[in-house]
Amino acid sequence: DVKVTQSSRYLVKRTGEKVFLECVQDMDHENMFWYRQDPGLGLRLIYFSYDVKMKEKGDIPEGYSVSREKKERFSLILESASTNQTSMYLCASSSLGRYEQYFGPGTRLTVT
Amino acid sequence: GDSVTQMEGPVTLSEEAFLTINCTYTATGYPSLFWYVQYPGEGLQLLLKATKADDKGSNKGFEATYRKETTSFHLEKGSVQVSDSAVYFCALLNNDMRFGAGTRLTVKP
């Protein structure tokens, strides 16, 4: 079974803090994704990566950056957290090509 | 661009009732279609998929048929259980993945 793990299930940070969310997959997938999930809006893509050190902006990249130094690990960085970044963050991975995505359990981030 | 529209929730049913969650899509070409399920406090899990027109995806008693003529992929289950309470997402994969807004299902005993 594909396993995608995220570093924290719940996180509380203060406005202005730098926040790191980590994601690790164990299936040698080329593609990795970061989404945020908000009620009524479904999932919105923040960034994705199709290879080590490669990244592409998704639909809502503002206020976020990413890092992929190793194939299995994809990090989401909030340079200066703001209250409107309070959300559920979901990481996913998939094989190259048109294959389904596999999701981690999510990190619920609260910025106060 | 590509998009997915699914019926708004929440949907509340009694145990053993019939379930339909509507999903329609807009896309160029021939996307693959998916239903994902999210149980409380968890990430999304793939429930079923269909990769071409007239394919039927099925899993755990749920079914959905890829209808190109109506651009639909409605989710159905003949008899729901309390354990089916979750949020269901319809999604398509073309050049990238697009998700619907999700439909919350609550099944009461």
Side-chain angles (χ1 to χ4, degrees):
Chain A
D1 271 359
V2 175
K3 194 140 193 179
V4 180
T5 56
Q6 295 183 228
S7 50
S8 306
R9 293 298 299 271
Y10 300 94
L11 212 50
V12 180
K13 295 292 182 181
R14 294 199 181 277
T15 301
E17 278 193 82
K18 191 168 186 175
V19 181
F20 292 88
L21 303 182
E22 302 253 306
C23 174
V24 177
Q25 51 94 4
D26 68 356
M27 283 302 291
D28 203 35
H29 283 167
E30 290 82 6
N31 298 331
M32 296 188 75
F33 308 84
W34 276 107
Y35 295 90
R36 63 176 282 176
Q37 180 184 8
D38 300 289
L41 297 177
L43 274 70
R44 293 181 290 168
L45 182 64
I46 305 171
Y47 268 97
F48 68 98
S49 168
Y50 53 88
D51 201 354
V52 175
K53 297 193 187 295
M54 305 302 289
K55 61 184 179 185
E56 294 283 343
K57 292 181 180 179
D59 298 320
I60 52 163
E62 297 78 19
Y64 303 94
S65 62
V66 290
S67 171
R68 193 161 180 205
E69 296 297 318
K70 293 185 178 181
K71 190 174 185 180
E72 67 272 18
R73 190 178 297 269
F74 192 36
S75 302
L76 179 69
I77 303 153
L78 287 66
E79 294 289 343
S80 177
S82 63
T83 54
N84 63 13
Q85 292 177 311
T86 291
S87 187
M88 169 74 95
Y89 289 88
L90 294 168
C91 176
S93 72
S94 73
S95 295
L96 204 60
R98 287 173 48 157
Y99 295 97
E100 61 268 25
Q101 294 180 13
Y102 294 86
F103 284 82
T107 296
R108 186 165 292 283
L109 173 66
T110 303
V111 183
T112 61
Chain B
D2 296 348
S3 66
V4 176
T5 303
Q6 61 182 104
M7 66 186 283
E8 289 187 24
V11 174
T12 302
L13 295 173
S14 297
E15 208 163 23
E16 299 184 4
F18 185 86
L19 169 71
T20 300
I21 301 178
N22 290 336
C23 171
T24 57
Y25 68 90
T26 302
T28 56
Y30 302 91
S32 296
L33 301 174
F34 305 88
W35 277 100
Y36 281 85
V37 59
Q38 185 179 34
Y39 298 105
E42 298 183 13
L44 276 68
Q45 299 174 26
L46 180 66
L47 181 60
L48 53 84
K49 66 178 180 181
T51 57
K52 60 183 188 298
D54 300 326
D55 265 3
K56 179 186 278 189
S58 61
N59 187 25
K60 299 181 181 180
F62 291 89
E63 292 183 341
T65 301
Y66 188 164
R67 301 277 187 211
K68 191 159 176 63
E69 63 277 13
T70 53
T71 62
S72 65
F73 192 55
H74 305 321
L75 183 69
E76 296 182 336
K77 187 175 186 183
S79 175
V80 293
Q81 305 301 311
V82 172
S83 57
D84 294 326
S85 297
V87 181
Y88 292 82
F89 291 90
C90 185
L92 72 81
L93 177 59
N94 211 357
N95 296 315
D96 52 20
M97 197 86 160
R98 294 287 163 183
F99 290 87
T103 302
R104 182 176 298 278
L105 169 68
T106 301
V107 180
K108 300 196 173 215

